[in-house]
Amino acid sequence: MSQDISTVAFIGLGVMGYPMAGHLARAGLDVRVYNRTAAKAEAWVDEYGGSHHPTPREAATGAELVLVCVGNDDDVRQVTTGEHGALSGMATGSLLVDHTTASADLAEELDAACRKQGTGFIDAPVSGGQQGAENGALTIMCGGSETDFASAEPVLSHYGRAVTLMGTAGSGQLTKMVNQICIAGLVQGLAEGLHFAEQAGLDQQRVVDVISQGAAGSWQMENRHKTMIADQYEHGFAVNWMRKDLGICLEQARRLQARLPVTALVDQFYGDVQVMGGGRWDTSSLLRRLRTLGAR
Ligand SMILES: NC(=O)c1ccc[n+]([C@@H]2O[C@H](COP(=O)([O-])OP(=O)(O)OC[C@H]3O[C@@H](n4cnc5c(N)ncnc54)[C@H](OP(=O)(O)O)[C@@H]3O)[C@@H](O)[C@H]2O)c1
């Protein structure tokens, strides 16, 4: 059954959604898109074909699978269960997949709303950034039933290199929270290491060349050290998005009685970066914060 999906809707053509939807069109699927700013949807159709629609509901009508990638919980509610939302256009037996990084509560809420009207639901946040979306190499962490996952997985594989079912609805979002918790402390550690090397008068590039081969190596070190040394942050994953994600992690941790002292501290450091005007800078800009404080 899963291989039979031929008509999909994609809602939210941002940095991530635009190239993800593009992979589906290139794979030969009939893609119906919606974007709040209509000009982006028009540009997408000019580039990839398919069709654009004035509301999520109209985009979702006739689609076997509806994919969403917008900003936060409330944005997802607006385009799914809100007025003119996708759910009101979805037929019984169709399936909703949410790629937005959002709360596990929202996933459970959407799962219940979908079940009520006889549609399936998968929460499916992604990791891999803009580069991963453009190269079709995202890691996709899914929550939902095995049947729904089996239907969605072949479609998600067009832009996902690792597509994994983690458990019931909400499990994908919980796994993404672990991902962000692991990254937060690591990026601060990398920023402190490069800051220390600079203050010590070491050649930072040579330091990275040596230590990246050993136990200190990481994706962040490999992919971000050059721009960090050059103090360039106009790219990558925005601090504003990271604060949204860490807020979700900290709220979930409070309810789970999990202790996240370093994550909470790094969240405050990102608050400082926002005050510095860096809301849209890459998360590696924690180094600019240290350089700025160090210069005082
Ligand atoms: N960028 C990354 O590296 C990355 C990596 C992993 C996960 N994520 C997550 O993926 C999601 C999307 O990120 P992105 O970087 O693609 O964001 P983005 O470039 O800011 O795009 C957001 C998209 O959502 C739409 N949108 C936002 N609020 C909406 C609303 N209330 N109603 C309708 N449409 C709305 C925007 O429409 P307009 O065009 O009209 O603004 C745009 O299409 C976020 O949850 C983010 O945390 C991002």
Side-chain angles (χ1 to χ4, degrees), residues 101 176-185 237 239-254 260 262-271 283 286:
T101 303
K176 172 75 182 184
M177 289 175 213
V178 177
N179 188 76
Q180 301 307 74
I181 292 163
C182 291
I183 287 175
F237 184 57
V239 166
N240 287 341
W241 278 148
M242 188 58 161
R243 281 216 89 192
K244 181 253 303 177
D245 293 358
L246 295 182
I248 291 169
C249 295
L250 293 168
E251 169 58 23
Q252 186 73 46
R254 193 182 58 75
L260 302 180
V262 173
T263 305
L265 189 61
V266 175
D267 177 56
Q268 295 298 301
F269 294 163
Y270 280 127
T283 46
L286 286 172

Side-chain angles (χ1 to χ4, degrees), residues 120-205:
F121 174 75
I122 300 275
D123 54 296
V126 304
S127 169
Q130 182 176 1
Q131 205 181 339
E134 287 170 355
N135 298 335
L138 292 169
T139 296
I140 310 182
M141 300 149 255
C142 300
S145 74
E146 288 187 11
T147 313
D148 289 342
F149 179 74
S151 298
E153 199 263 346
V155 176
L156 306 192
S157 294
H158 291 303
Y159 44 72
R161 190 168 50 194
V163 186
T164 309
L165 180 64
M166 302 305 299
T168 54
S171 305
Q173 296 295 356
L174 290 171
T175 306
K176 172 75 182 184
M177 289 175 213
V178 177
N179 188 76
Q180 301 307 74
I181 292 163
C182 291
I183 287 175
L186 190 150
V187 175
Q188 174 65 14
L190 177 59
E192 290 185 17
L194 290 175
H195 177 60
F196 179 92
E198 189 171 60
Q199 295 299 108
L202 291 166
D203 179 332
Q204 292 163 292
Q205 183 60 56

Side-chain angles (χ1 to χ4, degrees), residues 11-20 34-38 40-41 56 68-79 98-102 125-131 133 138-139 141 176 179-180 224 236-238 240-242 244-245 248 280 282:
I11 294 163
L13 302 172
V15 166
M16 301 297 283
Y18 193 102
M20 288 161 77
Y34 164 81
N35 196 69
R36 179 178 58 184
T37 307
K40 265 195 231 170
V68 174
C69 190
V70 291
N72 60 26
D73 283 27
D74 283 342
D75 300 328
V76 176
R77 286 192 187 96
Q78 276 180 28
V79 300
D98 183 21
H99 286 306
T100 311
T101 303
V126 304
S127 169
Q130 182 176 1
Q131 205 181 339
L138 292 169
T139 296
M141 300 149 255
K176 172 75 182 184
N179 188 76
Q180 301 307 74
R224 291 290 182 263
F237 184 57
N240 287 341
W241 278 148
M242 188 58 161
K244 181 253 303 177
D245 293 358
I248 291 169
R280 295 204 68 88
D282 181 62

